[in-house]
Amino acid sequence: EAGVTQFPSHSVIEKGQTVTLRCDPISGHDNLYWYRRVMGKEIKFLLHFVKESKQDESGMPNNRFLAERTGGTYSTLKVQPAELEDSGVYFCASSQDRGNTEAFFGQGTRLTVV
Amino acid sequence: DQQVKQNSPSLSVQEGRISILNCDYTNSMFDYFLWYKKYPAEGPTFLISISSIKDKNEDGRFTVFLNKSAKHLSLHIVPSQPGDSAVYFCAASDFGTDKLIFGTGTRLQVFP
């Protein structure tokens, strides 16, 4: 069974450009999460989908970030326009059940904004 | 304000000895705690968890201890193996939310 897949694995863009990250969760997992780790700091929650609905987006930094999960399958996270402080590793995770069960993480997308 | 703290950024342990990784939290509403292990260029992988109704959970070489009064948990790895060398993240959540609050991680190095 395939795990959580993210691409690209690495993206370097200039400030002001747009980048779209993609996450394919484990098949059958209704719950999908986005997290971000800025260098050396904690992994921070961004948002949580249940199927195609945003359950919790309290961690989204600002309106330059847009997450979608059309059809309840894969998800995209768009940053437009990117700023220097958006650099970091973006992790996607999925889980089958809600409520304090361990989530399976993808390998992450390292975003560098220059 | 960081709600989950891992105050030791790194730890070095000899193979065969015990590794003890510590984690403190501030939010008394947290009722579920997890440890994740992360290798370079990979995502975190779930290691072990504990509910707040317990004070100990064991899985093979890994044991997590929870001290609710002190708001402290620890991960014990015994015996430590070179393959355990990784960054370990402590995470917490409270019932009713699904988001995990992570610490900054502790880099464990197990040397021969």
Side-chain angles (χ1 to χ4, degrees), chain A residues 49-87:
Chain A
F49 283 100
V50 178
K51 296 185 180 178
E52 67 275 9
S53 300
K54 291 176 185 174
Q55 184 68 31
D56 180 353
E57 51 183 329
S58 60
M60 294 290 265
N62 50 60
N63 59 10
R64 295 186 293 103
F65 288 74
L66 174 64
E68 294 180 323
R69 192 184 182 194
T70 307
T73 54
Y74 71 91
S75 174
T76 58
L77 179 64
K78 180 191 287 188
V79 185
Q80 178 184 30
E83 298 288 344
L84 298 179
E85 64 263 25
D86 300 332
S87 296

mmCIF file of all heavy atoms in Angstrom, chain A residues 49-87:
data_model
loop_
_atom_site.group_PDB
_atom_site.id
_atom_site.type_symbol
_atom_site.label_atom_id
_atom_site.label_comp_id
_atom_site.label_asym_id
_atom_site.label_seq_id
_atom_site.Cartn_x
_atom_site.Cartn_y
_atom_site.Cartn_z
ATOM 1 N N PHE A 49 -8.429 18.728 6.791
ATOM 2 C CA PHE A 49 -9.592 18.409 5.967
ATOM 3 C C PHE A 49 -10.226 17.118 6.470
ATOM 4 O O PHE A 49 -9.534 16.162 6.814
ATOM 5 C CB PHE A 49 -9.177 18.151 4.511
ATOM 6 C CG PHE A 49 -8.870 19.375 3.701
ATOM 7 C CD1 PHE A 49 -7.552 19.765 3.483
ATOM 8 C CD2 PHE A 49 -9.878 20.113 3.107
ATOM 9 C CE1 PHE A 49 -7.262 20.876 2.707
ATOM 10 C CE2 PHE A 49 -9.598 21.217 2.329
ATOM 11 C CZ PHE A 49 -8.285 21.605 2.133
ATOM 12 N N VAL A 50 -11.544 17.083 6.455
ATOM 13 C CA VAL A 50 -12.267 15.824 6.531
ATOM 14 C C VAL A 50 -12.981 15.686 5.193
ATOM 15 O O VAL A 50 -13.869 16.469 4.864
ATOM 16 C CB VAL A 50 -13.293 15.798 7.676
ATOM 17 C CG1 VAL A 50 -14.055 14.465 7.652
ATOM 18 C CG2 VAL A 50 -12.606 15.996 9.017
ATOM 19 N N LYS A 51 -12.543 14.705 4.441
ATOM 20 C CA LYS A 51 -12.952 14.579 3.036
ATOM 21 C C LYS A 51 -12.650 15.909 2.352
ATOM 22 O O LYS A 51 -11.534 16.381 2.383
ATOM 23 C CB LYS A 51 -14.420 14.163 2.959
ATOM 24 C CG LYS A 51 -14.666 12.784 3.557
ATOM 25 C CD LYS A 51 -16.101 12.315 3.365
ATOM 26 C CE LYS A 51 -16.273 10.929 3.979
ATOM 27 N NZ LYS A 51 -17.668 10.438 3.866
ATOM 28 N N GLU A 52 -13.631 16.541 1.734
ATOM 29 C CA GLU A 52 -13.328 17.775 1.011
ATOM 30 C C GLU A 52 -13.561 19.023 1.856
ATOM 31 O O GLU A 52 -13.306 20.146 1.395
ATOM 32 C CB GLU A 52 -14.154 17.850 -0.268
ATOM 33 C CG GLU A 52 -15.656 17.996 -0.055
ATOM 34 C CD GLU A 52 -16.347 16.657 0.160
ATOM 35 O OE1 GLU A 52 -15.654 15.627 0.311
ATOM 36 O OE2 GLU A 52 -17.581 16.657 0.188
ATOM 37 N N SER A 53 -14.013 18.858 3.080
ATOM 38 C CA SER A 53 -14.352 20.002 3.918
ATOM 39 C C SER A 53 -13.199 20.399 4.843
ATOM 40 O O SER A 53 -12.547 19.550 5.435
ATOM 41 C CB SER A 53 -15.581 19.680 4.782
ATOM 42 O OG SER A 53 -16.680 19.372 3.971
ATOM 43 N N LYS A 54 -13.008 21.705 4.983
ATOM 44 C CA LYS A 54 -12.015 22.207 5.921
ATOM 45 C C LYS A 54 -12.589 22.134 7.323
ATOM 46 O O LYS A 54 -13.553 22.827 7.640
ATOM 47 C CB LYS A 54 -11.640 23.646 5.570
ATOM 48 C CG LYS A 54 -10.862 23.771 4.286
ATOM 49 C CD LYS A 54 -10.593 25.226 3.920
ATOM 50 C CE LYS A 54 -9.921 25.306 2.553
ATOM 51 N NZ LYS A 54 -9.760 26.688 2.090
ATOM 52 N N GLN A 55 -11.997 21.279 8.142
ATOM 53 C CA GLN A 55 -12.469 21.104 9.504
ATOM 54 C C GLN A 55 -11.880 22.141 10.453
ATOM 55 O O GLN A 55 -12.535 22.611 11.383
ATOM 56 C CB GLN A 55 -12.106 19.697 9.987
ATOM 57 C CG GLN A 55 -12.626 19.333 11.351
ATOM 58 C CD GLN A 55 -14.143 19.216 11.350
ATOM 59 O OE1 GLN A 55 -14.747 18.843 10.349
ATOM 60 N NE2 GLN A 55 -14.769 19.535 12.467
ATOM 61 N N ASP A 56 -10.614 22.452 10.207
ATOM 62 C CA ASP A 56 -9.903 23.384 11.089
ATOM 63 C C ASP A 56 -8.809 24.036 10.260
ATOM 64 O O ASP A 56 -7.928 23.336 9.759
ATOM 65 C CB ASP A 56 -9.313 22.621 12.278
ATOM 66 C CG ASP A 56 -8.561 23.511 13.262
ATOM 67 O OD1 ASP A 56 -8.369 24.712 12.989
ATOM 68 O OD2 ASP A 56 -8.155 22.991 14.318
ATOM 69 N N GLU A 57 -8.888 25.330 10.091
ATOM 70 C CA GLU A 57 -7.820 26.016 9.358
ATOM 71 C C GLU A 57 -7.200 27.096 10.224
ATOM 72 O O GLU A 57 -6.698 28.110 9.725
ATOM 73 C CB GLU A 57 -8.333 26.578 8.037
ATOM 74 C CG GLU A 57 -9.584 27.420 8.124
ATOM 75 C CD GLU A 57 -10.044 27.860 6.731
ATOM 76 O OE1 GLU A 57 -9.219 28.043 5.836
ATOM 77 O OE2 GLU A 57 -11.275 28.036 6.561
ATOM 78 N N SER A 58 -7.208 26.873 11.512
ATOM 79 C CA SER A 58 -6.724 27.868 12.461
ATOM 80 C C SER A 58 -5.230 28.145 12.365
ATOM 81 O O SER A 58 -4.755 29.159 12.839
ATOM 82 C CB SER A 58 -7.057 27.418 13.896
ATOM 83 O OG SER A 58 -6.429 26.174 14.185
ATOM 84 N N GLY A 59 -4.483 27.221 11.741
ATOM 85 C CA GLY A 59 -3.045 27.407 11.664
ATOM 86 C C GLY A 59 -2.554 28.080 10.391
ATOM 87 O O GLY A 59 -1.360 28.362 10.247
ATOM 88 N N MET A 60 -3.457 28.371 9.476
ATOM 89 C CA MET A 60 -3.046 29.016 8.228
ATOM 90 C C MET A 60 -2.518 30.418 8.542
ATOM 91 O O MET A 60 -3.200 31.210 9.191
ATOM 92 C CB MET A 60 -4.229 29.083 7.264
ATOM 93 C CG MET A 60 -4.678 27.718 6.792
ATOM 94 S SD MET A 60 -3.497 26.951 5.683
ATOM 95 C CE MET A 60 -4.208 27.441 4.118
ATOM 96 N N PRO A 61 -1.311 30.735 8.055
ATOM 97 C CA PRO A 61 -0.658 31.987 8.468
ATOM 98 C C PRO A 61 -1.386 33.247 8.008
ATOM 99 O O PRO A 61 -1.468 34.219 8.755
ATOM 100 C CB PRO A 61 0.721 31.897 7.816
ATOM 101 C CG PRO A 61 0.908 30.482 7.419
ATOM 102 C CD PRO A 61 -0.444 29.921 7.181
ATOM 103 N N ASN A 62 -1.869 33.236 6.787
ATOM 104 C CA ASN A 62 -2.516 34.438 6.245
ATOM 105 C C ASN A 62 -3.220 34.058 4.938
ATOM 106 O O ASN A 62 -3.201 32.893 4.525
ATOM 107 C CB ASN A 62 -1.472 35.534 5.998
ATOM 108 C CG ASN A 62 -0.285 35.021 5.202
ATOM 109 O OD1 ASN A 62 -0.443 34.556 4.083
ATOM 110 N ND2 ASN A 62 0.894 35.060 5.800
ATOM 111 N N ASN A 63 -3.818 35.030 4.300
ATOM 112 C CA ASN A 63 -4.611 34.726 3.118
ATOM 113 C C ASN A 63 -3.772 34.508 1.866
ATOM 114 O O ASN A 63 -4.310 34.334 0.776
ATOM 115 C CB ASN A 63 -5.677 35.800 2.873
ATOM 116 C CG ASN A 63 -5.059 37.176 2.695
ATOM 117 O OD1 ASN A 63 -3.845 37.312 2.563
ATOM 118 N ND2 ASN A 63 -5.890 38.197 2.707
ATOM 119 N N ARG A 64 -2.467 34.493 2.003
ATOM 120 C CA ARG A 64 -1.639 34.111 0.849
ATOM 121 C C ARG A 64 -1.617 32.602 0.675
ATOM 122 O O ARG A 64 -1.130 32.097 -0.332
ATOM 123 C CB ARG A 64 -0.211 34.650 1.042
ATOM 124 C CG ARG A 64 -0.129 36.170 1.047
ATOM 125 C CD ARG A 64 1.323 36.659 1.082
ATOM 126 N NE ARG A 64 1.989 36.333 2.339
ATOM 127 C CZ ARG A 64 2.859 35.333 2.478
ATOM 128 N NH1 ARG A 64 3.169 34.576 1.455
ATOM 129 N NH2 ARG A 64 3.427 35.117 3.647
ATOM 130 N N PHE A 65 -2.107 31.902 1.656
ATOM 131 C CA PHE A 65 -2.123 30.443 1.622
ATOM 132 C C PHE A 65 -3.544 29.956 1.324
ATOM 133 O O PHE A 65 -4.495 30.374 1.985
ATOM 134 C CB PHE A 65 -1.671 29.861 2.970
ATOM 135 C CG PHE A 65 -0.208 30.027 3.241
ATOM 136 C CD1 PHE A 65 0.319 31.257 3.589
ATOM 137 C CD2 PHE A 65 0.646 28.946 3.150
ATOM 138 C CE1 PHE A 65 1.662 31.417 3.833
ATOM 139 C CE2 PHE A 65 2.009 29.085 3.394
ATOM 140 C CZ PHE A 65 2.508 30.323 3.741
ATOM 141 N N LEU A 66 -3.657 29.067 0.328
ATOM 142 C CA LEU A 66 -4.962 28.526 -0.034
ATOM 143 C C LEU A 66 -4.840 27.022 -0.180
ATOM 144 O O LEU A 66 -4.039 26.534 -0.971
ATOM 145 C CB LEU A 66 -5.457 29.139 -1.342
ATOM 146 C CG LEU A 66 -6.764 28.545 -1.892
ATOM 147 C CD1 LEU A 66 -7.920 28.835 -0.924
ATOM 148 C CD2 LEU A 66 -7.086 29.116 -3.271
ATOM 149 N N ALA A 67 -5.626 26.295 0.582
ATOM 150 C CA ALA A 67 -5.627 24.837 0.511
ATOM 151 C C ALA A 67 -6.949 24.358 -0.047
ATOM 152 O O ALA A 67 -8.005 24.899 0.273
ATOM 153 C CB ALA A 67 -5.390 24.227 1.890
ATOM 154 N N GLU A 68 -6.859 23.334 -0.876
ATOM 155 C CA GLU A 68 -8.064 22.739 -1.450
ATOM 156 C C GLU A 68 -7.945 21.229 -1.431
ATOM 157 O O GLU A 68 -6.849 20.676 -1.465
ATOM 158 C CB GLU A 68 -8.258 23.233 -2.893
ATOM 159 C CG GLU A 68 -8.544 24.708 -2.998
ATOM 160 C CD GLU A 68 -8.736 25.172 -4.432
ATOM 161 O OE1 GLU A 68 -8.036 24.651 -5.319
ATOM 162 O OE2 GLU A 68 -9.579 26.068 -4.670
ATOM 163 N N ARG A 69 -9.098 20.600 -1.427
ATOM 164 C CA ARG A 69 -9.138 19.140 -1.515
ATOM 165 C C ARG A 69 -10.414 18.770 -2.267
ATOM 166 O O ARG A 69 -11.369 18.256 -1.698
ATOM 167 C CB ARG A 69 -9.102 18.495 -0.136
ATOM 168 C CG ARG A 69 -8.843 16.998 -0.209
ATOM 169 C CD ARG A 69 -8.892 16.328 1.154
ATOM 170 N NE ARG A 69 -8.597 14.906 1.035
ATOM 171 C CZ ARG A 69 -8.824 14.023 1.998
ATOM 172 N NH1 ARG A 69 -9.362 14.411 3.145
ATOM 173 N NH2 ARG A 69 -8.529 12.753 1.821
ATOM 174 N N THR A 70 -10.377 19.018 -3.528
ATOM 175 C CA THR A 70 -11.536 18.763 -4.374
ATOM 176 C C THR A 70 -11.796 17.272 -4.482
ATOM 177 O O THR A 70 -10.879 16.494 -4.754
ATOM 178 C CB THR A 70 -11.312 19.343 -5.781
ATOM 179 O OG1 THR A 70 -10.945 20.729 -5.645
ATOM 180 C CG2 THR A 70 -12.578 19.239 -6.605
ATOM 181 N N GLY A 71 -13.029 16.878 -4.261
ATOM 182 C CA GLY A 71 -13.383 15.463 -4.379
ATOM 183 C C GLY A 71 -12.937 14.620 -3.199
ATOM 184 O O GLY A 71 -13.141 13.404 -3.198
ATOM 185 N N GLY A 72 -12.311 15.249 -2.233
ATOM 186 C CA GLY A 72 -11.904 14.497 -1.046
ATOM 187 C C GLY A 72 -10.751 13.538 -1.251
ATOM 188 O O GLY A 72 -10.538 12.639 -0.431
ATOM 189 N N THR A 73 -9.998 13.727 -2.325
ATOM 190 C CA THR A 73 -8.849 12.824 -2.543
ATOM 191 C C THR A 73 -7.562 13.585 -2.261
ATOM 192 O O THR A 73 -7.232 13.829 -1.105
ATOM 193 C CB THR A 73 -8.853 12.262 -3.968
ATOM 194 O OG1 THR A 73 -8.923 13.359 -4.900
ATOM 195 C CG2 THR A 73 -10.059 11.342 -4.167
ATOM 196 N N TYR A 74 -6.862 13.993 -3.328
ATOM 197 C CA TYR A 74 -5.599 14.691 -3.104
ATOM 198 C C TYR A 74 -5.873 16.125 -2.691
ATOM 199 O O TYR A 74 -6.979 16.647 -2.853
ATOM 200 C CB TYR A 74 -4.730 14.630 -4.360
ATOM 201 C CG TYR A 74 -5.233 15.480 -5.506
ATOM 202 C CD1 TYR A 74 -4.803 16.788 -5.662
ATOM 203 C CD2 TYR A 74 -6.130 14.964 -6.431
ATOM 204 C CE1 TYR A 74 -5.261 17.566 -6.709
ATOM 205 C CE2 TYR A 74 -6.595 15.736 -7.479
ATOM 206 C CZ TYR A 74 -6.160 17.037 -7.614
ATOM 207 O OH TYR A 74 -6.618 17.804 -8.645
ATOM 208 N N SER A 75 -4.845 16.757 -2.152
ATOM 209 C CA SER A 75 -4.978 18.142 -1.704
ATOM 210 C C SER A 75 -3.845 18.970 -2.297
ATOM 211 O O SER A 75 -2.760 18.453 -2.582
ATOM 212 C CB SER A 75 -4.911 18.226 -0.177
ATOM 213 O OG SER A 75 -4.904 19.572 0.268
ATOM 214 N N THR A 76 -4.122 20.250 -2.490
ATOM 215 C CA THR A 76 -3.093 21.193 -2.907
ATOM 216 C C THR A 76 -3.015 22.336 -1.908
ATOM 217 O O THR A 76 -4.018 22.707 -1.277
ATOM 218 C CB THR A 76 -3.367 21.766 -4.312
ATOM 219 O OG1 THR A 76 -4.648 22.407 -4.306
ATOM 220 C CG2 THR A 76 -3.338 20.670 -5.365
ATOM 221 N N LEU A 77 -1.813 22.859 -1.779
ATOM 222 C CA LEU A 77 -1.579 24.029 -0.939
ATOM 223 C C LEU A 77 -0.845 25.049 -1.804
ATOM 224 O O LEU A 77 0.269 24.806 -2.246
ATOM 225 C CB LEU A 77 -0.740 23.662 0.288
ATOM 226 C CG LEU A 77 -0.391 24.804 1.244
ATOM 227 C CD1 LEU A 77 -1.653 25.377 1.892
ATOM 228 C CD2 LEU A 77 0.570 24.317 2.334
ATOM 229 N N LYS A 78 -1.522 26.158 -2.055
ATOM 230 C CA LYS A 78 -0.954 27.185 -2.912
ATOM 231 C C LYS A 78 -0.502 28.359 -2.065
ATOM 232 O O LYS A 78 -1.233 28.796 -1.156
ATOM 233 C CB LYS A 78 -1.986 27.646 -3.938
ATOM 234 C CG LYS A 78 -1.470 28.731 -4.889
ATOM 235 C CD LYS A 78 -2.582 29.352 -5.715
ATOM 236 C CE LYS A 78 -3.080 28.441 -6.786
ATOM 237 N NZ LYS A 78 -4.020 29.131 -7.704
ATOM 238 N N VAL A 79 0.672 28.871 -2.387
ATOM 239 C CA VAL A 79 1.180 30.068 -1.719
ATOM 240 C C VAL A 79 1.344 31.141 -2.796
ATOM 241 O O VAL A 79 2.083 30.956 -3.761
ATOM 242 C CB VAL A 79 2.536 29.796 -1.032
ATOM 243 C CG1 VAL A 79 2.979 31.033 -0.248
ATOM 244 C CG2 VAL A 79 2.442 28.586 -0.118
ATOM 245 N N GLN A 80 0.604 32.244 -2.630
ATOM 246 C CA GLN A 80 0.593 33.269 -3.662
ATOM 247 C C GLN A 80 0.307 34.640 -3.054
ATOM 248 O O GLN A 80 -0.786 34.827 -2.474
ATOM 249 C CB GLN A 80 -0.484 32.936 -4.712
ATOM 250 C CG GLN A 80 -0.624 33.947 -5.826
ATOM 251 C CD GLN A 80 -1.777 33.601 -6.777
ATOM 252 O OE1 GLN A 80 -2.771 32.990 -6.385
ATOM 253 N NE2 GLN A 80 -1.633 33.984 -8.027
ATOM 254 N N PRO A 81 1.194 35.597 -3.139
ATOM 255 C CA PRO A 81 2.583 35.486 -3.582
ATOM 256 C C PRO A 81 3.473 35.006 -2.444
ATOM 257 O O PRO A 81 3.213 35.315 -1.271
ATOM 258 C CB PRO A 81 2.914 36.938 -3.958
ATOM 259 C CG PRO A 81 2.117 37.751 -2.987
ATOM 260 C CD PRO A 81 0.835 36.980 -2.761
ATOM 261 N N ALA A 82 4.501 34.262 -2.780
ATOM 262 C CA ALA A 82 5.390 33.730 -1.753
ATOM 263 C C ALA A 82 6.274 34.830 -1.175
ATOM 264 O O ALA A 82 6.711 35.743 -1.875
ATOM 265 C CB ALA A 82 6.258 32.626 -2.343
ATOM 266 N N GLU A 83 6.531 34.715 0.137
ATOM 267 C CA GLU A 83 7.420 35.614 0.834
ATOM 268 C C GLU A 83 8.581 34.807 1.413
ATOM 269 O O GLU A 83 8.499 33.577 1.540
ATOM 270 C CB GLU A 83 6.683 36.337 1.969
ATOM 271 C CG GLU A 83 5.534 37.216 1.499
ATOM 272 C CD GLU A 83 6.017 38.471 0.789
ATOM 273 O OE1 GLU A 83 7.217 38.817 0.919
ATOM 274 O OE2 GLU A 83 5.200 39.111 0.090
ATOM 275 N N LEU A 84 9.641 35.502 1.797
ATOM 276 C CA LEU A 84 10.837 34.818 2.303
ATOM 277 C C LEU A 84 10.516 33.944 3.513
ATOM 278 O O LEU A 84 11.045 32.832 3.643
ATOM 279 C CB LEU A 84 11.919 35.839 2.671
ATOM 280 C CG LEU A 84 12.465 36.707 1.543
ATOM 281 C CD1 LEU A 84 13.512 37.680 2.081
ATOM 282 C CD2 LEU A 84 13.041 35.865 0.420
ATOM 283 N N GLU A 85 9.623 34.435 4.389
ATOM 284 C CA GLU A 85 9.339 33.703 5.624
ATOM 285 C C GLU A 85 8.490 32.455 5.394
ATOM 286 O O GLU A 85 8.240 31.692 6.342
ATOM 287 C CB GLU A 85 8.619 34.607 6.629
ATOM 288 C CG GLU A 85 7.244 35.084 6.182
ATOM 289 C CD GLU A 85 7.280 36.465 5.560
ATOM 290 O OE1 GLU A 85 8.359 36.858 5.049
ATOM 291 O OE2 GLU A 85 6.242 37.147 5.599
ATOM 292 N N ASP A 86 8.076 32.232 4.151
ATOM 293 C CA ASP A 86 7.313 31.021 3.841
ATOM 294 C C ASP A 86 8.227 29.816 3.650
ATOM 295 O O ASP A 86 7.743 28.677 3.537
ATOM 296 C CB ASP A 86 6.478 31.214 2.574
ATOM 297 C CG ASP A 86 5.483 32.353 2.702
ATOM 298 O OD1 ASP A 86 5.055 32.643 3.839
ATOM 299 O OD2 ASP A 86 5.146 32.958 1.665
ATOM 300 N N SER A 87 9.519 30.057 3.595
ATOM 301 C CA SER A 87 10.468 28.955 3.429
ATOM 302 C C SER A 87 10.356 27.978 4.592
ATOM 303 O O SER A 87 10.190 28.369 5.751
ATOM 304 C CB SER A 87 11.898 29.489 3.366
ATOM 305 O OG SER A 87 12.082 30.309 2.235
#
